[in-house]
Amino acid sequence: MLEDKSIGLILSGGGVRGMAHIGLIKAMREHQIEAKVVAGTSIGALVGALYANDNSVEDMLKFFKETPLFQYSFFAINKPGFIDTERYFNIFKHFFPENDFKNLKRPLFVVATDLLKGTEKVFYDGELIKPLLASAALPPVFSPVTIDGVLYADGGIMNNFPKEYVDHITDYTIGSNVSITVPLEKKDLRNSFQLTARVTSLMIHASNHEKMMECDLFIEPSELETIGVLDKKGIENAFNIGYEHGSRALERLLAKT
């Protein structure tokens, strides 16, 4: 069914839960399905870049397991944010030594937020690493990234599911959303942090729900809700959840042919 289709892969933001994207990619490869082009935000941009670079699933997981989220020497000084995002540059350089979009094996669209203009910015050519860092710079934990004198931060602020960048160049879309919104109990909203997280989650989901539903194939595993956005202990669990959901979705699709 998909042999003659040009496939676009869309990967949302969502922190450590984004390891489910890698699980989906594993399932796709096991079914001999490859995307022609990728669009991603935040963790989705990072996974998308590794996929566009033709890295193995094992190397993708290794990248996230070995990259420190919180390291004393990375603490920000005279910058907004707790962690200096640009300190990760050399770690990323090891995986992307050419540091250029044109050296990837397939086109990649990376979404970040221009904090000065308050607008969405998509990167797809030129320098690769700084746009990736910017797309994943979740405020207030990670500091914004400066590119050509402009401060950029997490793309999920403006567009957490950038489907529109693949629509015009593909005829079949596969989406993975890991910014999960599930019903809560009253006890789950006891403090300002929980309330802020809930409101942010609802706003992001509402603004992207329609695009998600337009995908030809789509996964949104509710089990990811139990995994903390910045909890590296959840890497394997999120990966396995994504693999299971991706496998089932693809098997259902292929059973129809």
Side-chain angles (χ1 to χ4, degrees):
M1 181 179 182
L2 299 180
E3 293 84 357
D4 57 346
K5 301 284 188 182
S6 60
I7 298 171
L9 180 63
I10 307 101
L11 306 175
S12 80
V16 170
R17 298 170 183 173
M19 299 304 96
H21 297 327
I22 303 177
L24 170 62
I25 289 168
K26 179 181 179 182
M28 288 171 59
R29 286 178 169 170
E30 287 182 352
H31 289 82
Q32 289 77 53
I33 296 171
E34 294 286 353
K36 171 188 174 184
V37 59
V38 192
T41 293
S42 196
I43 193 73
L46 303 187
V47 174
L50 293 165
Y51 176 68
N53 198 44
D54 269 355
N55 286 94
S56 67
V57 165
E58 291 73 24
D59 278 347
M60 293 183 198
L61 288 172
K62 180 181 178 183
F63 174 85
F64 291 104
K65 287 177 178 178
E66 295 185 357
T67 299
L69 275 179
F70 304 104
Q71 185 163 305
Y72 181 75
S73 61
F74 284 10
F75 283 1
I77 300 174
N78 298 323
K79 283 187 176 184
F82 300 114
I83 304 295
D84 185 347
T85 308
E86 294 187 44
R87 292 290 187 94
Y88 288 89
F89 186 92
N90 289 333
I91 295 174
F92 279 52
K93 194 76 161 54
H94 177 72
F95 280 80
F96 306 104
E98 294 86 3
N99 188 23
D100 200 302
F101 277 88
K102 72 172 183 289
N103 289 100
L104 299 174
K105 305 299 189 292
R106 50 177 63 85
L108 170 70
F109 295 91
V110 172
V111 174
T113 298
D114 181 334
L115 291 176
L116 305 184
K117 291 182 179 178
T119 56
E120 174 182 336
K121 170 72 174 179
V122 61
F123 295 91
Y124 54 87
D125 61 6
E127 182 183 5
L128 173 65
I129 295 176
K130 277 199 170 184
L132 291 178
L133 291 173
S135 184
L138 176 67
V141 178
F142 297 99
S143 67
V145 174
T146 302
I147 302 174
D148 296 329
V150 177
L151 287 176
Y152 291 99
D154 196 299
I157 299 168
M158 301 299 293
N159 187 352
N160 201 50
F161 195 76
K163 178 177 179 288
E164 55 270 44
Y165 296 110
V166 307
D167 280 341
H168 64 293
I169 50 177
T170 61
D171 50 29
Y172 194 93
T173 51
I174 297 176
S176 176
N177 178 49
V178 297
S179 291
I180 307 303
T181 300
V182 298
L184 297 181
E185 300 291 335
K186 189 176 179 179
K187 62 180 176 60
D188 297 318
L189 296 175
R190 290 179 175 174
N191 57 53
S192 297
F193 177 79
Q194 290 172 330
L195 178 62
T196 300
R198 179 60 170 176
V199 171
T200 301
S201 174
L202 291 173
M203 290 171 63
I204 288 174
H205 192 271
S207 65
N208 293 283
H209 180 72
E210 186 176 337
K211 289 190 290 183
M212 296 174 196
M213 295 302 102
E214 291 172 352
C215 287
D216 296 293
L217 183 71
F218 176 64
I219 68 166
E220 187 181 39
S222 60
E223 298 96 319
L224 294 171
E225 178 69 15
T226 62
I227 298 172
V229 172
L230 296 176
D231 182 10
K232 288 188 70 174
K233 294 178 181 177
I235 286 178
E236 283 289 343
N237 190 19
F239 167 73
N240 289 328
I241 290 170
Y243 174 67
E244 290 164 8
H245 276 257
S247 296
R248 289 201 298 268
L250 290 169
E251 285 162 10
R252 285 195 300 268
L253 173 70
L254 297 175
K256 295 177 183 177
T257 61

